[in-house]
Amino acid sequence: MQTLFEVILIVALGVALWLTWRARRENGQLREALAKSSETAEQLAAEQLRSDARLNAMIDAPPHALLVLDRDSVIIRANNRAGEILGPQLIGKTAIEATRSHEIDHVVQQTLAVQQIEERPVTWNARPYFARVVPSGDGGAVLVLEDQSDRLRSDRMRRDFVANISHELRTPLASIRLLIETLLAGAKDEPDVATRMLNQMLGEVDSITQLAQELLDLSLIESGQMPMQVTRANLGEIAAEQIIHYEPMAQQKQIVVKNDVAEDLVVEVDRKMIGRVLGNLIHNAIKFTPDRGRITIGAVPADGKIKVSVADTGAGIPQEDLPRIFERFYKVDRARGKSGTGLGLAIARHVVEAHGGRIWAESVEGKGATFYFTIPAAK
Ligand code: ADP
């Protein structure tokens, strides 16, 4: 009897132990599962954060203003650029409240109504924009505002350029034609007259050649296909050569060109290209200085470099044009009638920058202009 009781007790104990062990194991598994699920939740949250960051970057990346609108044209998301041009706190405002433009709102309303892409040029804040509204698939829409000023400006510059080139070509060509006609009409039989006319024609051909050369140089320099051949060179000599080259033109206008560059000043430059920069500045100075004016070329050490200057006593340049004259094809309005393509200073800037230097101009209108550029001094 007692043995039976012991057996039952042992069995009961065994069962109890087994139950405890199973409960513990299940408990462990449960904890493991819980830990795993919280790990997954953390991973999901992190992934969500990463994808939000990617989305924000995508929205902020384009240079255009971007607004996400709901079906009532209320802004629910806006990128940084939108904040910059339309002002802060855009969320919650309607498109018309944010833009204060019926023109833009009209495009938005059109898309919201018909759920189709609408796009057209608009004017906002006196600037040209291109508005594009795309349905977002949930009854709302995305409005993109693209600033067109730069594109329109470069279109206008290209048109000006073509007009300039055609003018620059037509003038010498018309002159050559007239000279040929005069020669054919009989001038060819008078040797002195014929020689003078042929020399005039040579001059006209030279100006066309220079135009072609400037166009080619600019395209080569801009595409990095004209590496600088840097050597030690005497700046005083370079300046003297250029002054001699433009002497006849200066003499015609009785302009005095003075070379103040120290004779022994040595620089490390592409001699030919820096000669062209100086030549261009001297040429411009003569062109834009009235008769009996004065041009001075100087060079002084500055911040470990050499600062070269070309100062004239001409008409000067308006302050608002000063930063722009180094752009391709840019000519100050007053200079439109003068010969020139507006390419010289753009080429000069590329050449100076290729030497690690800087070029700029200072001017007091009516009192003349001074052009400066920096180049490396010889070590
Ligand atoms: P271009 O002389 O062929 O027109 P540049 O690029 O050399 O072209 O010069 C651009 C413009 O800068 C000129 O058309 C002129 O309006 C202005 N400019 C340049 N140099 C001077 C100067 N010394 N004085 C006044 N205006 C100048």
Side-chain angles (χ1 to χ4, degrees), residues 32-320:
E32 217 171 273
L34 267 174
K36 262 198 191 140
S37 83
S38 83
E39 214 171 89
T40 318
E42 269 170 33
Q43 275 170 357
L44 278 173
E47 181 52 39
Q48 181 67 38
L49 275 178
R50 276 197 294 273
S51 98
D52 276 359
R54 279 195 289 264
L55 194 64
N56 282 339
M58 266 169 68
I59 289 177
D60 281 327
H64 323 305
L66 192 147
L67 299 167
V68 183
L69 309 161
D70 70 7
R71 58 181 66 240
D72 299 317
S73 106
V74 173
I75 299 167
I76 49 179
R77 196 154 187 172
N79 72 351
N80 288 343
R81 185 80 189 111
E84 279 164 25
I85 65 167
L86 299 173
Q89 272 121 40
L90 292 170
I91 311 295
K93 285 185 183 165
T94 58
I96 182 86
E97 283 168 347
T99 62
R100 300 177 306 281
S101 158
H102 287 287
E103 212 184 351
I104 297 174
D105 190 50
H106 183 72
V107 195
V108 170
Q109 297 306 335
Q110 193 88 355
T111 298
L112 290 176
V114 296
Q115 288 294 302
Q116 267 178 14
I117 297 178
E118 293 288 330
E119 47 190 14
R120 78 189 58 157
V122 294
T123 304
W124 191 83
N125 215 2
R127 283 169 83 93
Y129 279 86
F130 193 76
R132 183 175 160 84
V133 191
V134 183
S136 53
D138 59 353
V142 175
L143 162 65
V144 180
L145 283 174
E146 195 181 328
D147 192 338
Q148 298 284 291
S149 320
D150 285 350
R151 196 181 60 76
L152 293 182
R153 191 157 64 86
S154 79
D155 281 358
R156 199 181 55 237
M157 275 166 67
R158 209 170 298 128
R159 273 199 306 276
D160 282 0
F161 167 66
V162 174
N164 275 337
I165 295 292
S166 120
H167 173 80
E168 291 305 313
L169 283 174
R170 270 214 316 264
T171 313
L173 285 174
S175 157
I176 290 171
R177 188 187 169 89
L178 191 71
L179 289 162
I180 293 174
E181 280 170 358
T182 318
L183 281 169
L184 287 176
K188 68 178 187 317
D189 300 324
E190 293 173 52
D192 286 353
V193 179
T195 308
R196 188 170 44 81
M197 287 187 163
L198 286 169
N199 274 324
Q200 265 176 290
M201 283 165 71
L202 257 183
E204 300 294 2
V205 169
D206 282 351
S207 71
I208 298 175
T209 313
Q210 188 198 338
L211 173 65
Q213 186 64 47
E214 278 191 351
L215 285 171
L216 181 65
D217 285 353
L218 187 69
S219 91
L220 287 179
I221 291 176
E222 286 195 334
S223 58
Q225 291 178 61
M226 200 191 261
M228 299 294 133
Q229 315 280 331
V230 175
T231 55
R232 285 168 68 88
N234 184 310
L235 189 66
E237 270 174 21
I238 300 179
E241 279 167 17
Q242 294 303 323
I243 293 173
I244 290 169
H245 184 79
Y246 289 102
E247 191 75 48
M249 198 179 159
Q251 268 173 6
Q252 254 184 8
K253 296 178 80 178
Q254 293 170 281
I255 291 174
V256 177
V257 186
K258 191 158 172 268
N259 187 359
D260 272 354
V261 182
E263 274 173 23
D264 57 352
L265 183 56
V266 183
V267 286
E268 268 185 36
V269 296
D270 182 317
R271 199 181 193 289
K272 196 165 140 233
M273 296 310 283
I274 288 299
R276 282 190 51 184
V277 171
L278 251 181
N280 181 256
L281 297 182
I282 296 171
H283 188 181
N284 279 348
I286 299 174
K287 227 163 48 172
F288 297 107
T289 299
D291 289 4
R292 285 181 283 281
R294 192 178 175 80
I295 296 166
T296 312
I297 298 138
V300 290
D303 298 331
K305 290 187 183 259
I306 300 296
K307 183 168 90 171
V308 188
S309 59
V310 177
D312 65 52
T313 54
I317 302 161
Q319 289 300 308
E320 65 268 23

Side-chain angles (χ1 to χ4, degrees), residues 280 284 287-288 312 317 325 330-332 335 340-342 344-345 371:
N280 181 256
N284 279 348
K287 227 163 48 172
F288 297 107
D312 65 52
I317 302 161
I325 51 176
Y330 193 83
K331 292 171 91 177
V332 177
T341 53
L345 289 179
F371 282 77

Side-chain angles (χ1 to χ4, degrees), residues 14-30:
V15 169
L17 275 172
W18 179 78
L19 280 172
T20 320
W21 172 81
R22 212 183 63 167
R24 280 227 180 108
R25 203 184 61 162
E26 278 173 2
N27 206 356
Q29 280 171 342
L30 203 65

